[in-house]
Amino acid sequence: FPEKEFYYLEIPDISERTGAITNIRKVLGKEILGSKTYFKSGAILFARLFPDKGRITIVPDSIHEGVCSTEIYIVKPINDTVKKYSLLASLKSSLVANQVKDMISGSSSSRPRLGIDDFKNILIAILQPDIQKDIENKLKEAIELQWGSSQKYLEKFKEVMSLFGDEINLDDLRGI
């Protein structure tokens, strides 16, 4: 799809620990080099490169689809017992972080990775349905607010810079 526009997310665009998406680019398919992983809104993204940094997020609803590094796993609940925002919170918990640290201890210190087999063996907490619903409501609201705020910031930044005669194209800020 060389002329199709995609959101393009890199691992450093996912903040450590909180998982907030701090930047995302819009690019044409022909500008995307190499293999990439395709995602849709609501997907949980787990960075397998330097996994101890906690770069785990969920794609906001307003980002309908995009691509990211193959160093990112796409995670989905396997059934309705676990809600996706509850799964996100569980993956970001110290329970999982401590397992991940042990799993990557034998990896190269320059680029530690979490292998797929180790990833599949991570134990997660499955909370009561009422607690999951509460997590779902709080995290969804927080993620959507954070994403909306970051997009408003870009708009305001563009307005302010235009006062100095600088014409900012937001798509240029989001380029590769």
Side-chain angles (χ1 to χ4, degrees), residues 5 8 19 21 33 62 95 109 120 123 127 133 141 152 158 163 176:
E5 191 173 68
Y8 181 75
I21 295 176
L33 305 177
S62 56
L95 171 71
S109 62
K120 288 179 179 179
L123 299 176
L127 304 174
K133 185 170 177 58
E141 179 183 7
K152 285 180 183 159
K158 177 181 173 180
L163 298 173
I176 294 178

Side-chain angles (χ1 to χ4, degrees), residues 4-5 12 14 19 24 43 49 75 78-79 91 98 102 106 111 126 136 139-140 144-145 151 157-159 164-165 175:
K4 183 174 178 168
E5 191 173 68
I14 304 169
I24 195 164
L49 183 64
V75 184
I78 56 173
N79 58 45
L91 288 170
N98 290 334
D102 290 342
R111 293 181 67 89
I126 299 175
E136 192 92 358
L139 271 183
K140 182 173 178 53
E144 294 298 331
L145 281 170
Q151 298 312 292
F157 177 76
K158 177 181 173 180
E159 287 176 30
F164 293 93

Side-chain angles (χ1 to χ4, degrees), residues 17-64:
R17 214 42 211 127
T18 66
I21 295 176
T22 55
N23 187 33
I24 195 164
R25 293 146 192 80
K26 281 185 178 177
V27 297
L28 292 176
K30 65 184 175 189
E31 298 173 53
I32 301 169
L33 305 177
S35 297
K36 299 294 176 224
T37 299
Y38 177 81
F39 63 82
K40 290 186 173 188
S41 62
I44 297 172
L45 308 179
F46 185 107
R48 71 185 198 108
L49 183 64
F50 294 101
D52 53 327
K53 295 192 181 283
R55 294 182 194 269
I56 308 164
T57 194
I58 194 163
V59 179
D61 290 341
S62 56
I63 300 174
H64 300 292

